[in-house]
């Protein structure tokens, strides 16, 4: 994984990378993530950054930790439980849609992008 220089902190970028792997099926419920130390070496990041990523993902119920055993991918929730996070996604999406409209991107193109992104996640 290459980290973007878009201003987002590395722990957020890594969290999104792990979420993408969950969505595309590379990581399945029950799969064990590398230890903090191993992930830090693999990603060339400080272990504190990895720990912060795992804590963030755990607060979002994407992973769970078993003391002495490791961090694992959670079962997907049937319905969103974190209404604040859902609201945050809606706000971010609205901002992106406004930007798309400003740039003159046709609605059909945006719909195609959304459909393609969801189909990738379902495969």
């Amino acid at each position: 994984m290459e980290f973007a220089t878009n201003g987002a902190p590395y722990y957020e970028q890594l969290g999104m990378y792990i979420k993408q792997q969950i969505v595309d099926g590379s990581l399945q419920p029950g799969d064990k993530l590398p230890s903090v130390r191993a992930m830090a070496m693999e990603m060339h990041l400080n272990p504190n950054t990895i720990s912060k990523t795992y804590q963030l993902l755990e607060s979002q119920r994407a992973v769970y930790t078993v003391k002495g055993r490791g961090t694992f991918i959670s079962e997907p929730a049937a319905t969103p439980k974190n209404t604040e996070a859902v609201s945050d996604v809606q706000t971010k999406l609205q901002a992106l849609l406004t930007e798309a409209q400003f740039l003159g991107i046709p609605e059909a193109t945006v719909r195609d992008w959304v459909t393609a992104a969801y189909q990738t996640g379902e495969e």
Side-chain angles (χ1 to χ4, degrees):
M1 169 190 172
E2 236 177 85
F3 291 98
T5 56
N6 62 3
Y10 289 152
Y11 76 92
E12 287 180 1
Q13 291 182 53
L14 180 58
M16 189 56 66
Y17 174 72
I18 291 170
K19 287 179 186 178
Q20 184 59 47
Q21 289 184 308
I22 293 169
V23 168
D24 73 18
S26 301
L27 290 173
Q28 296 290 318
D31 285 354
K32 184 178 181 188
L33 292 175
S35 69
V36 169
R37 205 171 278 165
M39 180 71 88
M41 289 181 68
E42 181 181 331
M43 294 290 155
H44 306 288
L45 293 171
N46 186 299
N48 292 333
T49 302
I50 306 303
S51 181
K52 190 168 186 176
T53 300
Y54 285 8
Q55 288 171 3
L56 174 67
L57 292 172
E58 193 161 10
S59 75
Q60 297 171 342
R61 297 185 178 106
V63 301
Y64 63 95
T65 301
V66 177
K67 191 167 181 137
R69 297 211 44 229
T71 302
F72 301 86
I73 303 299
S74 298
E75 291 289 333
T79 58
K81 292 183 174 143
N82 187 338
T83 56
E84 187 178 316
V86 171
S87 178
D88 185 44
V89 168
Q90 183 179 12
T91 301
K92 289 176 182 176
L93 180 58
Q94 184 58 54
L96 287 172
L97 292 174
T98 299
E99 188 68 23
Q101 288 174 315
F102 177 77
L103 294 172
I105 300 170
E107 181 181 344
T109 301
V110 174
R111 286 180 190 271
D112 290 345
W113 292 345
V114 170
T115 300
Y118 266 84
Q119 288 173 345
T120 300
E122 293 173 355
E123 294 175 354

